[in-house]
């Protein structure tokens, strides 16, 4: 089985890659400071708050005393993240010290003490009368997102085209689709995994690709990141003065954690103990995703009926999808009638999915070299001992004086045997 690739890179890694000047520009906006604070690991948030009113530097040894011995790994992760985002400046003189970024500190301090609101202007009555309801807005957002994903994986599947240019779609498809001469594009291993991610993780992947390509289009990355993070402080359905755009939940949830359960949509899948699967959905995208790991038998206007079979799962495993990803997808999208059950997906189904995956892992391929025709038993035993001492002996047959060693010690073994033959 291939290793799982994490394609939804943490958005803050992209923020950390900005120059010091661009980061200071970001930190001049108090709302961006709050969004950055939200994104930090719990221990990093604690350090920022503890240093909130400390203008000087804190010795690294003193900070290590703030955590228990078994929390040292988390401590290092928190410090590394704060240094990457330039929230902490590291000073090494007689001893290592850390100082909180003064721009970030002063702006966030004012924001938390005095509060604040994003600049907004009242909408004309002619516009407010035509505003959609929150339910209509959410339905619009889901419909647009599903249409985008269908066009992303196959332009023939989409019911209507999106507003993205073909060149922009190719940027998004990078790494998700592979193309060969005179062949239709096919999903890559990362593409299959992308479709099983939750919506927020998918959205961050697309945002990351869009920002990575922004400089080629002459757009400043810092300005784009600032705009996207500021969106998360707008209320869904509330317009803004520039052309009176109306943010949806997809936009206002941008700064939420990828694993924040409050951002998840209502599920639609019921899995039974006999491996039958019922998906209460009218979405064409849902049907295409279910085909990745199950056999869809028939589709009614609001119901997809299928089964999880050994053959359908083997096909999924060969495409790079793992058992845990499939189980996680079924659990995250469980229908409300079964979502509160423990477990929401029957245990026998989860266990069988894992067992079928393990069937493919029974044989492990290891590059090796085979040796035989030793001149004497002493040379054979010396060769076995040499390979065993270097953890390179895979198999030996003392009767016929044969052995197999790992490929990485083959050159050393050859030199050893040449010395034995002299």
């Amino acid at each position: 089985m291939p290793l799982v690739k994490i394609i939804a890179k943490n958005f803050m890694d992209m923020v950390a890659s900005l120059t010091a000047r661009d980061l200071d520009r970001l930190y001049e906006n108090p709302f961006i400071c709050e969004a950055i604070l939200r994104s930090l690991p719990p221990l990093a948030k604690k350090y920022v708050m503890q240093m909130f009113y400390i203008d000087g530097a804190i010795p690294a040894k003193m900070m290590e005393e703030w955590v228990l011995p078994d929390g040292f790994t988390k401590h290092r992760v928190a410090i590394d993240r704060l240094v990457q985002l330039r929230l902490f400046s590291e000073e090494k003189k007689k001893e290592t010290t850390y100082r909180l970024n003064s721009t970030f500190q002063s702006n966030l301090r004012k924001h938390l003490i005095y509060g604040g609101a994003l600049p907004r202007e009242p909408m004309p009555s002619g516009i407010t009368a035509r505003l959609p309801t929150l339910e209509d807005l959410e339905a619009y957002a889901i419909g647009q997102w599903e249409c985008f994903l269908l066009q992303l994986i196959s332009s023939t599947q989409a019911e209507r085209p999106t507003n993205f240019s073909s060149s922009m779609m190719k940027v998004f498809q990078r790494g998700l689709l592979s193309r060969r001469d005179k062949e239709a594009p096919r999903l890559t291993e990362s593409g299959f995994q992308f479709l099983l991610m939750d919506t927020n993780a998918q959205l961050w992947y697309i945002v990351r690709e869009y920002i990575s390509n922004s400089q080629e289009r002459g757009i400043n990355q810092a300005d784009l990141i600032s705009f996207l993070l500021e969106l998360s402080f707008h209320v869904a359905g509330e317009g803004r003065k520039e052309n009176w755009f109306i943010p949806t939940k997809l936009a206002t949830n941008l700064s939420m954690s990828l694993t924040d359960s409050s951002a998840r949509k209502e599920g639609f899948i019921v899995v039974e103990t006999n491996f039958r699967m019922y998906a209460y959905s009218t979405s064409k995208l849902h049907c295409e995703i279910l085909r990745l790991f199950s056999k869809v038998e028939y589709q009614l206007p609001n119901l997809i009926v299928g089964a999880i079979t050994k053959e359908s799962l083997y096909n999924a495993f060969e495409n790079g999808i793992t058992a845990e990803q499939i189980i996680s997808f079924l659990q995250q999208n469980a229908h409300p009638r079964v979502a509160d059950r423990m477990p929401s997906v029957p245990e026998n189904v989860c266990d069988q999915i894992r067992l079928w995956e393990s069937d493919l892992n029974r044989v492990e391929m290891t590059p090796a070299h085979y040796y035989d025709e030793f001149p004497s038993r002493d040379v054979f035993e010396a060769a076995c001992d040499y390979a065993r001492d270097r953890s390179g002996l895979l198999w030996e047959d003392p009767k016929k004086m044969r052995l197999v060693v790992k490929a990485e010690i083959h050159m050393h073994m050859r030199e050893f045997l040449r010395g034995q033959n002299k």
Side-chain angles (χ1 to χ4, degrees):
M1 286 290 297
L3 293 174
V4 178
K5 297 176 182 176
I6 300 174
I7 61 176
K9 182 182 176 182
N10 191 311
F11 184 68
M12 287 304 125
D13 288 343
M14 182 164 291
V15 176
S17 69
L18 296 174
T19 63
R21 194 174 104 186
D22 284 340
L23 271 174
D24 282 337
R25 280 180 57 200
L26 277 184
Y27 295 154
E28 288 172 1
N29 185 326
F31 291 96
I32 304 305
C33 293
E34 186 179 341
I36 299 293
L37 182 66
R38 287 180 183 180
S39 77
L40 295 174
L43 199 55
K45 288 180 187 175
K46 174 181 169 63
Y47 291 163
V48 170
M49 298 310 293
Q50 283 191 232
M51 297 179 67
F52 212 43
Y53 286 97
I54 300 175
D55 294 325
I58 298 291
K61 289 183 178 179
M62 181 183 294
M63 294 188 69
E64 290 174 7
E65 295 174 0
W66 294 353
V67 293
L68 296 172
D70 59 354
F72 186 75
T73 302
K74 292 182 179 178
H75 168 76
R76 285 310 319 167
V77 170
I79 294 295
D80 289 345
R81 173 56 74 189
L82 291 168
V83 171
Q84 286 169 1
L85 290 168
R86 296 186 179 86
L87 295 179
F88 274 12
S89 57
E90 189 176 35
E91 301 171 4
K92 294 183 178 180
K93 295 179 181 177
K94 291 183 179 179
E95 60 177 352
T96 302
T97 59
Y98 296 106
R99 185 189 301 271
L100 189 60
N101 183 299
S102 58
T103 306
F104 177 89
Q105 184 183 32
S106 60
N107 283 309
L108 186 59
R109 190 187 294 174
K110 292 175 186 176
H111 180 63
L112 294 183
I113 293 173
Y114 301 110
L118 289 168
R120 300 185 181 96
E121 290 186 4
M123 284 187 177
S125 57
I127 294 179
T128 55
R130 300 196 305 270
L131 285 178
T133 64
L134 290 179
E135 291 75 17
D136 292 340
L137 201 60
E138 187 167 359
Y140 170 81
I142 292 173
Q144 288 291 103
W145 181 247
E146 290 189 356
C147 181
F148 169 74
L149 289 182
L150 282 171
Q151 186 172 357
L152 188 68
I153 60 177
S154 175
S155 58
T156 58
Q157 296 279 2
E159 296 177 358
R160 60 185 184 278
T162 61
N163 294 327
F164 288 104
S165 64
S166 58
S167 60
M168 201 69 242
M169 288 301 293
K170 287 179 180 177
V171 170
F172 296 145
Q173 291 169 342
R174 228 168 21 194
L176 302 181
L177 294 179
S178 63
R179 288 179 172 83
R180 292 184 180 177
D181 295 338
K182 299 179 181 180
E183 287 187 14
R186 294 185 59 187
L187 280 170
T188 63
E189 180 182 324
S190 295
F192 283 109
Q193 294 179 21
F194 171 81
L195 289 178
L196 292 187
M197 289 178 176
D198 61 68
T199 302
N200 215 29
Q202 291 174 333
L203 187 60
W204 272 128
Y205 175 82
I206 296 300
V207 167
R208 189 198 74 179
E209 293 299 311
Y210 183 75
I211 292 175
S212 298
N213 187 254
S214 63
Q215 287 184 321
E216 297 176 16
R217 305 190 309 278
I219 301 174
N220 184 276
Q221 284 193 355
D223 292 340
L224 191 52
I225 289 172
S226 177
F227 170 74
L228 290 170
L229 289 177
E230 188 178 307
L231 270 181
S232 63
F233 291 93
H234 285 273
V235 178
E238 183 181 79
R240 184 178 167 181
K241 64 178 182 178
E242 289 89 353
N243 298 324
W244 300 110
F245 70 80
I246 304 174
T248 68
K249 274 190 177 181
L250 288 179
T252 56
N253 287 345
L254 275 175
S255 68
M256 287 188 176
S257 166
L258 297 182
T259 57
D260 192 333
S261 59
S262 64
R264 290 176 188 163
K265 55 187 180 296
E266 188 175 88
F268 59 96
I269 299 174
V270 176
V271 181
E272 295 185 336
T273 54
N274 60 359
F275 294 84
R276 300 285 293 174
M277 186 177 63
Y278 302 92
Y280 295 86
S281 173
T282 58
S283 168
K284 191 174 182 180
L285 176 65
H286 287 163
C287 186
E288 293 303 315
I289 292 176
L290 293 174
R291 289 185 197 277
L292 297 178
F293 59 86
S294 67
K295 179 182 178 183
V296 175
E297 296 175 352
Y298 51 89
Q299 185 175 6
L300 301 176
N302 64 342
L303 177 67
I304 303 166
V305 180
I308 299 174
T309 67
K310 186 176 182 179
E311 292 73 21
S312 65
L313 285 175
Y314 273 16
N315 185 55
F317 298 148
E318 288 172 3
N319 285 320
I321 301 174
T322 68
E324 292 305 322
Q325 285 177 321
I326 293 170
I327 294 169
S328 176
F329 176 82
L330 294 173
Q331 290 171 341
Q332 290 176 7
N333 292 279
H335 192 278
R337 289 288 182 89
V338 298
D340 294 333
R341 295 180 191 171
M342 291 299 290
S344 56
V345 180
E347 286 186 357
N348 70 305
V349 175
C350 295
D351 291 342
Q352 190 60 61
I353 291 174
R354 294 187 180 102
L355 284 172
W356 278 332
E357 182 185 43
S358 67
D359 284 346
L360 300 178
N361 299 330
R362 288 182 178 178
V363 177
E364 182 179 348
M365 304 295 290
T366 302
H369 286 269
Y370 171 79
Y371 292 84
D372 63 356
E373 298 182 0
F374 286 88
S376 68
R377 182 161 295 278
D378 290 340
V379 174
F380 168 74
E381 290 177 354
C384 289
D385 292 339
Y386 181 86
R388 193 179 291 110
D389 291 342
R390 284 155 182 75
S391 303
L393 181 63
L394 294 174
W395 175 82
E396 62 178 312
D397 180 3
K399 289 184 178 180
K400 297 184 179 180
M401 294 195 296
R402 300 179 297 180
L403 65 88
V404 176
V405 302
K406 292 180 181 178
E408 59 253 34
I409 71 163
H410 171 58
M411 298 305 295
H412 298 291
M413 179 65 81
R414 283 179 57 185
E415 295 299 322
F416 174 77
L417 292 175
R418 281 175 184 165
Q420 292 292 312
N421 291 332
K422 288 180 181 178

